[in-house]
Amino acid sequence: MTRTNPFRLAVVQLHVTKVKADNLSRARGLIKEAAAQGAKLVVLPECFNSPYGTGFFPEYAEKIPGESSQVLSEAAKESQVYLVGGSIPEEDDGGKLYNTCPVFGPDGSLLLKHRKIHLFDIDVPGKIRFQESETLSPGSNLSVFDTPYCRVGVGICYDIRFAELAQLYSKKGCQLLVYPGAFNMTTGPAHWELLQRGRAVDNQVYVATASPARDETASYVAWGHSTVVSPWGEVISKAGSEETVVYADIDLQYLANVRQQIPITAQRRSDLYTVNAVQEG
């Protein structure tokens, strides 16, 4: 049965520092604040517990379960929310590092962990060069979880550039896609909102992104502007650059109406083209 009851989504734009304990404490407080405002699902930013940078990943990396995931589990349980835990640098048992998003249920249980599939390796001459692959390994699984409100697909930052991933999530029945992300001062103003609106319109889904707040003194300066976009491609909630929580009411009846009015799913020419997962996640 298609779920159509509206629910409140909260996106936390956290000011991230070099002090992990402070990041965890502030995140926990903002999760509690979001729940008090009626949020049923809360999204944290990419690398919410550490500065973003290849030099920081090994220093801040943890196992899951570990210190940060334990705090997130407790926060989800005490606030009775579904919690998309942004991302943290994760170290597996073999010593490999990943950029990983853990997701928790209202009972504090770990529902899944999404390891960033597409590593952020770019070189824009004179502006920015960044190579996540210098320290991180890519994930290899799709990540979908169910709530009483809707089905949710998870990506991290650079994952949003790959339309095929969003299409696969849509085929799996997702009505909301969430992307904790830390676009920068070059790619942020150029592509951040454009990509979110594109993924939303292409797949007729809600799209939510959670960025760290902007810190001009950091070695990597995040763009901010955490956003929620409707299935019509309309920006319905958007932060500035500072630490804040933004909210959006996710209306699945509206989503169903959009899909009925412009029925692209039924109109796709699967006899000519298709997008399929090579490996199911």
Side-chain angles (χ1 to χ4, degrees), residues 90 92 96-101 113-119 136-144 154 156 159 165 168-169 172 277-281:
E90 179 203 5
D92 72 4
K96 284 187 175 182
L97 302 182
Y98 300 90
N99 189 342
T100 302
C101 174
K113 58 180 184 179
H114 175 78
R115 289 171 169 168
K116 190 174 189 176
I117 297 172
H118 305 93
L119 296 184
L136 300 180
S137 296
S140 57
N141 289 292
L142 308 182
S143 302
V144 172
V154 183
I156 299 175
D159 285 339
L165 178 62
L168 288 170
Y169 283 156
K172 287 177 173 290
V278 174
Q279 179 174 328
E280 290 297 322

Short mmCIF file of all heavy atoms in Angstrom, two decimals, residues 90 92 96-101 113-119 136-144 154 156 159 165 168-169 172 277-281:
data_model
loop_
_atom_site.label_atom_id
_atom_site.label_comp_id
_atom_site.label_asym_id
_atom_site.label_seq_id
_atom_site.Cartn_x
_atom_site.Cartn_y
_atom_site.Cartn_z
N GLU A 90 35.04 5.76 8.68
CA GLU A 90 34.93 4.43 9.29
C GLU A 90 36.16 3.59 8.96
O GLU A 90 36.62 3.58 7.82
CB GLU A 90 33.69 3.72 8.76
CG GLU A 90 33.52 2.31 9.32
CD GLU A 90 32.67 1.39 8.45
OE1 GLU A 90 32.28 1.80 7.35
OE2 GLU A 90 32.43 0.24 8.88
N ASP A 92 37.36 -0.34 8.89
CA ASP A 92 36.86 -1.70 9.02
C ASP A 92 37.91 -2.59 9.71
O ASP A 92 39.00 -2.12 10.07
CB ASP A 92 36.43 -2.27 7.67
CG ASP A 92 37.61 -2.59 6.74
OD1 ASP A 92 38.78 -2.46 7.15
OD2 ASP A 92 37.34 -2.96 5.57
N LYS A 96 40.84 -0.81 6.28
CA LYS A 96 40.40 0.09 5.22
C LYS A 96 39.53 1.20 5.79
O LYS A 96 38.78 0.99 6.76
CB LYS A 96 39.62 -0.69 4.15
CG LYS A 96 40.47 -1.52 3.22
CD LYS A 96 39.61 -2.09 2.10
CE LYS A 96 40.45 -2.84 1.07
NZ LYS A 96 39.62 -3.36 -0.04
N LEU A 97 39.59 2.37 5.16
CA LEU A 97 38.79 3.51 5.59
C LEU A 97 37.69 3.80 4.57
O LEU A 97 37.91 3.69 3.36
CB LEU A 97 39.68 4.76 5.74
CG LEU A 97 40.85 4.67 6.71
CD1 LEU A 97 41.58 6.00 6.77
CD2 LEU A 97 40.37 4.27 8.11
N TYR A 98 36.52 4.16 5.10
CA TYR A 98 35.37 4.48 4.27
C TYR A 98 34.73 5.77 4.79
O TYR A 98 34.86 6.13 5.96
CB TYR A 98 34.32 3.37 4.32
CG TYR A 98 34.82 2.03 3.83
CD1 TYR A 98 35.40 1.12 4.72
CD2 TYR A 98 34.69 1.67 2.50
CE1 TYR A 98 35.86 -0.11 4.27
CE2 TYR A 98 35.15 0.43 2.04
CZ TYR A 98 35.74 -0.45 2.93
OH TYR A 98 36.19 -1.67 2.50
N ASN A 99 34.01 6.44 3.90
CA ASN A 99 33.15 7.56 4.28
C ASN A 99 31.75 6.98 4.44
O ASN A 99 31.09 6.67 3.44
CB ASN A 99 33.20 8.63 3.19
CG ASN A 99 32.53 9.93 3.58
OD1 ASN A 99 31.74 9.97 4.52
ND2 ASN A 99 32.82 11.00 2.85
N THR A 100 31.30 6.82 5.68
CA THR A 100 30.15 5.95 5.96
C THR A 100 29.02 6.68 6.67
O THR A 100 29.25 7.39 7.65
CB THR A 100 30.60 4.75 6.82
OG1 THR A 100 31.62 4.03 6.12
CG2 THR A 100 29.44 3.81 7.11
N CYS A 101 27.81 6.44 6.19
CA CYS A 101 26.60 6.99 6.80
C CYS A 101 25.85 5.89 7.54
O CYS A 101 25.29 4.99 6.91
CB CYS A 101 25.69 7.59 5.73
SG CYS A 101 24.09 8.13 6.37
N LYS A 113 24.35 0.82 7.11
CA LYS A 113 25.41 1.80 6.94
C LYS A 113 25.74 1.89 5.46
O LYS A 113 25.98 0.88 4.80
CB LYS A 113 26.64 1.47 7.79
CG LYS A 113 27.30 0.14 7.56
CD LYS A 113 28.49 -0.03 8.50
CE LYS A 113 29.25 -1.31 8.22
NZ LYS A 113 30.42 -1.47 9.12
N HIS A 114 25.70 3.10 4.95
CA HIS A 114 26.00 3.35 3.54
C HIS A 114 27.41 3.85 3.42
O HIS A 114 27.76 4.92 3.94
CB HIS A 114 25.03 4.38 2.95
CG HIS A 114 25.37 4.76 1.53
ND1 HIS A 114 25.05 3.96 0.46
CD2 HIS A 114 26.01 5.85 1.01
CE1 HIS A 114 25.48 4.54 -0.66
NE2 HIS A 114 26.06 5.68 -0.34
N ARG A 115 28.25 3.08 2.73
CA ARG A 115 29.61 3.52 2.44
C ARG A 115 29.60 4.25 1.10
O ARG A 115 29.12 3.70 0.10
CB ARG A 115 30.56 2.33 2.41
CG ARG A 115 30.80 1.74 3.80
CD ARG A 115 31.56 0.42 3.71
NE ARG A 115 32.02 -0.01 5.04
CZ ARG A 115 32.51 -1.23 5.31
NH1 ARG A 115 32.59 -2.13 4.33
NH2 ARG A 115 32.91 -1.53 6.53
N LYS A 116 30.10 5.47 1.11
CA LYS A 116 30.09 6.31 -0.09
C LYS A 116 30.59 5.52 -1.30
O LYS A 116 31.70 4.98 -1.30
CB LYS A 116 30.98 7.53 0.16
CG LYS A 116 30.90 8.63 -0.89
CD LYS A 116 31.72 9.83 -0.42
CE LYS A 116 31.53 11.05 -1.29
NZ LYS A 116 32.27 12.21 -0.72
N ILE A 117 29.76 5.46 -2.33
CA ILE A 117 30.05 4.62 -3.49
C ILE A 117 31.03 5.30 -4.45
O ILE A 117 31.96 4.67 -4.95
CB ILE A 117 28.74 4.29 -4.23
CG1 ILE A 117 27.80 3.47 -3.33
CG2 ILE A 117 29.02 3.54 -5.53
CD1 ILE A 117 26.41 3.28 -3.92
N HIS A 118 30.81 6.58 -4.68
CA HIS A 118 31.61 7.34 -5.63
C HIS A 118 32.54 8.28 -4.87
O HIS A 118 32.08 9.21 -4.20
CB HIS A 118 30.72 8.15 -6.57
CG HIS A 118 29.69 7.33 -7.29
ND1 HIS A 118 28.41 7.15 -6.79
CD2 HIS A 118 29.76 6.61 -8.44
CE1 HIS A 118 27.73 6.40 -7.62
NE2 HIS A 118 28.52 6.04 -8.63
N LEU A 119 33.83 8.02 -4.93
CA LEU A 119 34.79 8.85 -4.19
C LEU A 119 35.01 10.19 -4.89
O LEU A 119 35.03 10.28 -6.12
CB LEU A 119 36.11 8.11 -4.02
CG LEU A 119 36.05 6.83 -3.19
CD1 LEU A 119 37.45 6.24 -3.02
CD2 LEU A 119 35.41 7.07 -1.82
N LEU A 136 40.64 6.85 1.26
CA LEU A 136 39.38 6.12 1.42
C LEU A 136 39.21 5.06 0.35
O LEU A 136 39.73 5.16 -0.76
CB LEU A 136 38.19 7.09 1.35
CG LEU A 136 38.13 8.20 2.40
CD1 LEU A 136 36.89 9.06 2.17
CD2 LEU A 136 38.12 7.62 3.80
N SER A 137 38.42 4.05 0.68
CA SER A 137 37.98 3.03 -0.27
C SER A 137 36.49 3.25 -0.57
O SER A 137 35.75 3.74 0.29
CB SER A 137 38.18 1.63 0.31
OG SER A 137 39.55 1.35 0.52
N PRO A 138 36.03 2.87 -1.77
CA PRO A 138 34.62 3.06 -2.11
C PRO A 138 33.74 1.95 -1.56
O PRO A 138 34.17 0.80 -1.44
CB PRO A 138 34.62 3.03 -3.63
CG PRO A 138 35.77 2.13 -3.98
CD PRO A 138 36.82 2.36 -2.91
N GLY A 139 32.51 2.28 -1.24
CA GLY A 139 31.53 1.27 -0.90
C GLY A 139 31.02 0.57 -2.14
O GLY A 139 31.29 1.00 -3.27
N SER A 140 30.26 -0.50 -1.94
CA SER A 140 29.81 -1.29 -3.09
C SER A 140 28.37 -1.76 -2.96
O SER A 140 27.98 -2.75 -3.58
CB SER A 140 30.73 -2.50 -3.28
OG SER A 140 30.78 -3.28 -2.10
N ASN A 141 27.57 -1.04 -2.14
CA ASN A 141 26.18 -1.46 -1.95
C ASN A 141 25.22 -0.28 -2.02
O ASN A 141 25.54 0.83 -1.57
CB ASN A 141 26.02 -2.15 -0.59
CG ASN A 141 26.67 -3.51 -0.56
OD1 ASN A 141 26.22 -4.45 -1.23
ND2 ASN A 141 27.74 -3.63 0.20
N LEU A 142 24.04 -0.54 -2.57
CA LEU A 142 22.94 0.41 -2.49
C LEU A 142 22.37 0.35 -1.08
O LEU A 142 22.42 -0.69 -0.42
CB LEU A 142 21.87 0.07 -3.51
CG LEU A 142 22.32 -0.10 -4.96
CD1 LEU A 142 21.11 -0.38 -5.85
CD2 LEU A 142 23.08 1.10 -5.45
N SER A 143 21.77 1.46 -0.63
CA SER A 143 21.30 1.54 0.76
C SER A 143 19.90 2.12 0.81
O SER A 143 19.69 3.31 0.53
CB SER A 143 22.26 2.40 1.59
OG SER A 143 23.57 1.88 1.57
N VAL A 144 18.94 1.28 1.19
CA VAL A 144 17.53 1.66 1.27
C VAL A 144 16.99 1.21 2.61
O VAL A 144 17.31 0.11 3.07
CB VAL A 144 16.72 1.01 0.14
CG1 VAL A 144 15.23 1.24 0.32
CG2 VAL A 144 17.19 1.52 -1.22
N VAL A 154 19.72 6.27 0.37
CA VAL A 154 20.82 7.04 0.96
C VAL A 154 22.01 7.12 0.02
O VAL A 154 22.45 6.11 -0.54
CB VAL A 154 21.28 6.41 2.29
CG1 VAL A 154 22.37 7.26 2.94
CG2 VAL A 154 20.09 6.23 3.25
N ILE A 156 25.87 9.71 -0.40
CA ILE A 156 26.72 10.68 0.28
C ILE A 156 27.37 11.59 -0.77
O ILE A 156 28.09 11.12 -1.65
CB ILE A 156 27.82 10.00 1.11
CG1 ILE A 156 27.22 9.12 2.21
CG2 ILE A 156 28.75 11.04 1.74
CD1 ILE A 156 28.25 8.31 3.00
N ASP A 159 27.93 11.09 -4.55
CA ASP A 159 26.96 10.12 -5.07
C ASP A 159 25.83 10.81 -5.82
O ASP A 159 25.23 10.21 -6.72
CB ASP A 159 26.37 9.28 -3.93
CG ASP A 159 27.32 8.22 -3.38
OD1 ASP A 159 28.27 7.84 -4.08
OD2 ASP A 159 27.08 7.77 -2.24
N LEU A 165 22.23 6.09 -9.83
CA LEU A 165 21.98 5.65 -8.46
C LEU A 165 20.59 6.09 -8.01
O LEU A 165 19.83 5.30 -7.43
CB LEU A 165 23.05 6.21 -7.52
CG LEU A 165 22.89 5.87 -6.03
CD1 LEU A 165 22.97 4.36 -5.81
CD2 LEU A 165 23.95 6.59 -5.20
N LEU A 168 17.94 3.99 -9.67
CA LEU A 168 17.80 2.67 -9.04
C LEU A 168 17.02 2.77 -7.74
O LEU A 168 16.18 1.91 -7.45
CB LEU A 168 19.18 2.06 -8.80
CG LEU A 168 19.91 1.58 -10.05
CD1 LEU A 168 21.36 1.24 -9.73
CD2 LEU A 168 19.21 0.39 -10.67
N TYR A 169 17.28 3.80 -6.96
CA TYR A 169 16.52 3.98 -5.72
C TYR A 169 15.04 4.21 -6.01
O TYR A 169 14.17 3.67 -5.32
CB TYR A 169 17.08 5.15 -4.92
CG TYR A 169 18.36 4.85 -4.17
CD1 TYR A 169 19.25 5.86 -3.83
CD2 TYR A 169 18.68 3.55 -3.78
CE1 TYR A 169 20.42 5.61 -3.13
CE2 TYR A 169 19.84 3.28 -3.08
CZ TYR A 169 20.71 4.31 -2.76
OH TYR A 169 21.85 4.04 -2.07
N LYS A 172 13.39 1.05 -6.79
CA LYS A 172 13.20 0.26 -5.58
C LYS A 172 12.07 0.80 -4.70
O LYS A 172 11.81 0.26 -3.62
CB LYS A 172 14.50 0.22 -4.77
CG LYS A 172 15.58 -0.66 -5.39
CD LYS A 172 16.87 -0.58 -4.57
CE LYS A 172 17.90 -1.57 -5.06
NZ LYS A 172 17.53 -2.98 -4.77
N ALA A 277 20.79 -2.58 -11.47
CA ALA A 277 21.89 -2.77 -10.55
C ALA A 277 22.65 -4.04 -10.89
O ALA A 277 22.05 -5.09 -11.08
CB ALA A 277 21.39 -2.82 -9.12
N VAL A 278 23.97 -3.93 -10.96
CA VAL A 278 24.80 -5.12 -11.19
C VAL A 278 24.86 -5.95 -9.91
O VAL A 278 24.82 -7.16 -9.94
CB VAL A 278 26.23 -4.70 -11.61
CG1 VAL A 278 27.14 -5.91 -11.71
CG2 VAL A 278 26.18 -3.95 -12.94
N GLN A 279 24.92 -5.23 -8.77
CA GLN A 279 24.97 -5.90 -7.47
C GLN A 279 23.91 -5.31 -6.58
O GLN A 279 23.85 -4.09 -6.37
CB GLN A 279 26.35 -5.71 -6.83
CG GLN A 279 26.50 -6.36 -5.45
CD GLN A 279 27.92 -6.25 -4.93
OE1 GLN A 279 28.87 -6.25 -5.68
NE2 GLN A 279 28.05 -6.14 -3.63
N GLU A 280 23.04 -6.13 -6.07
CA GLU A 280 21.97 -5.65 -5.21
C GLU A 280 22.52 -5.33 -3.82
O GLU A 280 23.34 -6.06 -3.28
CB GLU A 280 20.86 -6.70 -5.07
CG GLU A 280 20.07 -6.88 -6.35
CD GLU A 280 19.33 -5.65 -6.78
OE1 GLU A 280 18.80 -4.92 -5.93
OE2 GLU A 280 19.26 -5.37 -8.01
N GLY A 281 22.05 -4.20 -3.25
CA GLY A 281 22.49 -3.82 -1.91
C GLY A 281 21.40 -4.00 -0.92
O GLY A 281 20.28 -4.32 -1.23
#
